[in-house]
């Protein structure tokens, strides 16, 4: 069995070609899509966070709203860029969203990727400390966030408080027990996968990875997942970690599917550069008739290694069509692969 969720980047554009023309559309349709996904039997509703872009940006109000409108589906991010985050405020927001959802939050965080503006985190008031780059700052924010989620008191109470305090040092509230075990790190390299394992985070790997061996993306990711699990075991954690892989997958079962995704051209991985020094590999899309799709996905080694598959969706095509995309995978592909 494999958990299957959707991943939405929450794009919007004021265009006749888009069914998501505004920020309000993106947010409200995200809630509706999570409701539809739960109805269909999907396991997770995940959202990407980008700043300075016409995409979803502030996740916790959306996660809380989705949590209030659904009952069973996992609710998460993939990912939140920790270079932009205040760990203390984030711990409060995450605790509140998790409590509203009844403990269903699966929070993916990361150092982030190139954004729409240069060093956008500067506008949020953050700077790397001496000897640190922005990636290191993101990891430092993540470690602070993880420590706060333990719920240990650290703040000296006021001797004359407005309200009575419990004894001892105070922690941030609201505190949600168990959330610390449901934090994931979005890893683009083997080294950060191993770092995440040592800290006891679950792992997310997407359709992009640093090209470390020149092999196909799925082969590199499968090795990355194995390295993560080996580091987890070496660290001595007692629980079983989770690993998700993101993919663009479309079953071509009607004329709409063929018009949108049946033209080919994305059957191979692509190589690009995230900056002047970082060579990356970008994963292929899968779009085919269900029987062909089953055989293609059967050969994806990273999907086979992971316990969770996140399907990236074209959210600007609307809630109804994306529900159709998810249902097609659940009914024509997942059973043949023993996923669901």
């Amino acid at each position: 069995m494999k958990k299957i969720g959707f991943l939405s980047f929450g794009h919007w554009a004021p265009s006749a070609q888009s069914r998501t023309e505004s920020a309000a559309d993106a947010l409200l349709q995200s809630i509706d899509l999570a409701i539809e996904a739960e109805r269909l039997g999907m396991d997770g509703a995940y959202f990407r966070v980008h700043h300075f872009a016409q995409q979803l940006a502030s996740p916790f109000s959306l996660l809380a709203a989705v949590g209030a409108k659904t009952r069973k589906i996992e609710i998460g991010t993939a990912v939140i860029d920790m270079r932009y985050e205040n760990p203390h405020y984030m711990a409060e927001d995450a605790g509140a969203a998790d409590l509203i959802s009844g403990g269903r939050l699966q929070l993916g965080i990361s150092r982030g990727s190139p954004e729409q503006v240069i060093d956008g985190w500067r506008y949020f008031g953050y700077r790397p400390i001496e000897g640190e780059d922005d990636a290191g700052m993101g990891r430092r924010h993540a470690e602070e966030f993880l420590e706060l989620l333990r719920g240990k008191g650290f703040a000296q109470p006021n001797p004359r408080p407005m309200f009575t305090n419990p004894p001892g040092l105070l922690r941030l509230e609201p505190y949600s027990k168990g959330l610390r075990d449901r934090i994931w790190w979005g890893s683009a390299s083997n080294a950060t996968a191993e770092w995440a394992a040592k800290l006891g985070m679950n792992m997310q790997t997407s359709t992009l990875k640093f090209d470390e061996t020149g092999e196909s993306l799925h082969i590199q990711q499968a090795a990355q997942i194995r390295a993560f699990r080996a580091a987890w075991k070496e660290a001595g954690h007692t629980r079983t970690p989770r690993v998700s892989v993101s993919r663009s997958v479309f079953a071509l079962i009607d004329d709409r599917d063929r018009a949108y995704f049946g033209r080919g051209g994305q059957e191979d991985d692509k190589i690009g550069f995230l900056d002047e020094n970082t060579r990356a590999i970008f994963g292929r899309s899968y779009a085919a008739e269900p029987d062909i799709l089953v055989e293609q996905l059967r050969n994806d080694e990273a999907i086979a290694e992971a316990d969770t598959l996140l399907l990236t969706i074209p959210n600007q095509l609307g809630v109804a069509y994306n529900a159709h995309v998810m249902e097609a995978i659940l009914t024509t592909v997942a059973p043949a692969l023993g996923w669901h």
Side-chain angles (χ1 to χ4, degrees):
M1 300 295 289
K2 196 180 298 291
K3 288 183 180 291
I4 304 175
F6 74 81
L7 172 58
S8 174
F9 281 50
H11 293 279
W12 76 84
S15 165
Q17 282 71 49
S18 175
R19 295 178 182 265
T20 311
E21 297 188 22
S22 68
D25 288 342
L27 289 163
L28 295 172
Q29 289 176 19
S30 294
I31 298 169
D32 290 342
L33 192 56
I35 293 170
E36 280 295 290
E38 183 171 78
R39 181 186 65 81
L40 292 168
M42 294 282 282
D43 299 297
Y46 287 75
F47 304 96
R48 183 65 164 94
V49 176
H50 279 288
H51 300 287
F52 300 103
Q54 292 186 337
Q55 295 176 244
L56 299 173
S58 52
F60 292 106
S61 53
L62 174 60
L63 294 171
V66 171
K69 291 286 188 177
T70 57
R71 293 292 175 266
K72 296 185 294 185
I73 196 169
E74 293 181 343
I75 305 162
T77 52
V79 291
I80 297 173
D81 188 335
M82 292 302 293
R83 296 174 298 177
Y84 289 78
E85 293 296 325
N86 177 320
H88 291 73
Y89 205 102
M90 185 178 178
E92 291 182 343
D93 280 350
D98 196 44
L99 291 171
I100 288 170
S101 72
R104 290 181 283 133
L105 206 61
Q106 301 286 342
L107 207 60
I109 63 176
S110 180
R111 59 69 49 101
S113 59
E115 293 284 321
Q116 299 299 106
V117 300
I118 298 170
D119 297 343
W121 32 267
R122 291 184 299 115
Y123 299 100
F124 282 56
Y126 302 117
R127 300 283 190 281
I129 60 178
E130 186 175 351
E132 181 182 65
D133 60 11
D134 64 301
M137 178 178 67
R139 288 190 288 271
R140 172 167 55 83
H141 286 179
E143 291 190 51
E144 292 174 10
F145 175 61
L146 293 174
E147 184 60 31
L148 292 168
L149 291 183
R150 295 185 187 280
K152 295 180 180 179
F154 62 91
Q156 188 69 39
N158 188 338
R160 298 180 182 85
M162 182 178 293
F163 306 105
T164 302
N165 283 322
L169 299 177
L170 301 183
R171 68 186 182 190
L172 292 173
E173 302 288 355
Y175 169 68
S176 185
K177 185 178 180 180
L179 178 57
R180 172 61 177 80
D181 290 342
R182 287 179 275 115
I183 306 301
W184 307 57
W185 184 259
S187 177
S189 69
N190 288 10
T192 55
E194 293 170 0
W195 172 82
K198 291 173 184 177
L199 290 179
M201 286 187 280
N202 303 301
M203 177 183 149
Q204 293 177 333
T205 186
S206 71
T207 53
L208 176 155
K209 184 186 178 296
F210 294 174
D211 185 12
E212 299 182 86
T213 66
E215 297 169 290
S216 298
L217 175 72
H218 74 101
I219 294 175
Q220 292 196 50
Q221 285 183 323
Q224 181 191 31
I225 293 168
R226 289 191 290 269
F228 167 81
R229 291 193 172 124
W232 183 280
K233 182 178 180 179
E234 184 179 351
H237 303 305
T238 56
R239 68 179 177 87
T240 301
R242 290 182 59 184
V243 176
S244 73
V245 170
S246 300
R247 291 289 185 268
S248 297
V249 182
F250 301 98
L252 306 182
I253 62 175
D254 65 21
D255 290 342
R256 292 175 301 170
D257 303 326
R258 297 181 187 95
Y260 286 137
F261 304 107
R263 300 174 184 176
Q266 295 182 313
E267 294 84 5
D268 298 305
D269 296 338
K270 292 181 172 56
I271 299 295
F273 286 84
L274 298 178
D275 55 41
E276 59 272 14
N277 299 314
T278 308
R279 176 182 164 107
I281 184 167
F282 300 82
R284 57 163 295 179
S285 294
Y286 292 97
E289 305 293 327
D291 56 339
I292 298 173
L293 199 56
V294 166
E295 293 308 311
Q296 291 175 339
L297 293 171
R298 200 188 302 277
N299 293 322
D300 190 308
E301 294 183 17
I303 292 178
E305 287 281 351
D307 59 78
T308 302
L309 174 63
L310 301 184
L311 303 172
T312 61
I313 60 166
N315 75 280
Q316 288 187 89
L317 294 180
V319 173
Y321 181 72
N322 280 289
H324 159 78
V325 167
M326 292 187 288
E327 186 173 24
I329 298 298
L330 290 177
T331 58
T332 69
V333 176
L337 291 166
W339 288 352
H340 220 242

